[in-house]
Amino acid sequence: MKNIKVLGMGCSGCRATTKLIAQIAEEKDVAIELQNLEEVSDILEYGLRATPAVVINEQIVHMGGTPVREQVSEWF
């Protein structure tokens, strides 16, 4: 199971990123644990300067802006 975290302050881009990840994981029948981290301290812990950001199994795979469907699909 992949542990996926979407980091951001709850903006529309963060919500869209979370929705897209969940949708593609379901389409590909991949089990994930999806978390939204909105606390500034959580975001700074990863050293991020742009959100939304995506962390998979503790590795930053995306930072700044909503990822496109093709990019998210490659993560699975």
Side-chain angles (χ1 to χ4, degrees), residues 23 27 33 41 45 52 56-57 61-62:
Q23 185 178 50
E27 289 171 5
E33 177 185 349
S41 59
E45 186 176 309
I56 299 177
N57 295 334
V61 296
H62 177 80

Side-chain angles (χ1 to χ4, degrees), residues 1-5 21 30-35 55 57:
M1 177 181 299
K2 290 185 183 244
N3 178 284
I4 302 176
K5 298 174 184 173
I21 290 169
V30 175
I32 62 171
E33 177 185 349
L34 184 57
Q35 299 173 284
V55 176
N57 295 334

Side-chain angles (χ1 to χ4, degrees), residues 3-73:
N3 178 284
I4 302 176
K5 298 174 184 173
V6 177
L7 291 87
M9 302 301 289
C11 66
S12 61
C14 299
R15 291 189 304 273
T17 298
T18 299
K19 182 178 178 180
L20 183 60
I21 290 169
Q23 185 178 50
I24 292 174
E26 183 176 334
E27 289 171 5
K28 293 185 171 274
D29 197 29
V30 175
I32 62 171
E33 177 185 349
L34 184 57
Q35 299 173 284
N36 289 304
L37 301 178
E38 297 179 353
E39 296 294 324
V40 174
S41 59
D42 291 329
I43 295 166
L44 293 177
E45 186 176 309
Y46 286 93
L48 302 173
R49 288 183 171 42
T51 61
V54 179
V55 176
I56 299 177
N57 295 334
E58 295 305 314
Q59 291 196 354
I60 300 168
V61 296
H62 177 80
M63 183 174 21
T66 304
V68 295
R69 175 173 274 279
E70 293 78 20
Q71 181 181 14
V72 174
S73 188

